[in-house]
Amino acid sequence: MSVILYRAFDFGEPSTAELTFTDGDNISQYAQTAVDVLSEKGIVNGIGDNMFGTGKSITRQDMAVMIYRAAEYIKLNIPVPEEYVKFDDDAFVSDYAKDAVYALRGVGIINGVSELEFAPLDNATRAQAAQMIYGLLEL
């Protein structure tokens, strides 16, 4: 996901500062620049405990958060709707992800896995990530 997002937008090169993810040695050379740059820009924060989460799947809600943060970084204003219809599984959407999920839903970048469910904790697929990034590029 990080590499796809990094390549879709001109985020530049990483600074000379070293990142301190404790699992940073496990990040492939292929993904290192993307992870460094997106981390420096606040688009990715890792999974906690100073770990990036190399090799782990990303959830649909975390994918939405990354896309939303990327939009903010490139100065694309995607407002969180004041009123919106919640997904039936809204209780499972983490508080940190709700604004991203509903803002991106409001502009048609994301949909649920059905009309009623978002499935926030399901693993995201590359196809879903590519579709969301394409939607962001279209805005």
Side-chain angles (χ1 to χ4, degrees):
M1 169 72 187
S2 297
V3 173
I4 296 170
L5 187 57
Y6 172 75
R7 289 187 175 177
F9 299 95
D10 184 18
F11 287 113
E13 294 297 317
S15 72
T16 58
E18 283 190 39
L19 295 178
T20 59
F21 289 120
T22 56
D23 60 345
D25 291 343
N26 297 326
I27 298 172
S28 71
Q29 187 69 22
Y30 172 76
Q32 189 68 56
T33 298
V35 170
D36 289 350
V37 170
L38 295 179
S39 177
E40 287 175 359
K41 309 241 184 267
I43 296 168
V44 299
N45 295 327
I47 60 171
D49 294 329
N50 207 29
M51 294 182 64
F52 179 70
T54 305
K56 296 189 182 288
S57 297
I58 185 172
T59 64
R60 289 174 48 81
Q61 72 179 359
D62 288 342
M63 176 178 63
V65 169
M66 288 173 62
I67 298 291
Y68 187 68
R69 288 178 182 160
E72 288 179 319
Y73 183 81
I74 63 171
K75 310 269 191 264
L76 184 60
N77 183 26
I78 301 176
V80 178
E82 289 186 31
E83 294 184 27
Y84 52 84
V85 176
K86 292 181 180 180
F87 287 109
D88 284 355
D89 56 357
D90 178 75
F92 297 104
V93 179
S94 297
D95 288 341
Y96 71 86
K98 286 187 189 259
D99 284 353
V101 168
Y102 289 109
L104 295 176
R105 182 186 193 195
V107 293
I109 290 179
I110 62 171
N111 298 307
V113 295
S114 71
E115 285 186 38
L116 304 175
E117 291 185 338
F118 179 62
L121 302 177
D122 285 4
N123 291 334
T125 66
R126 285 189 180 113
Q128 290 168 340
Q131 182 177 5
M132 287 178 62
I133 291 168
Y134 178 77
L136 188 59
L137 287 167
E138 288 292 298
L139 287 180

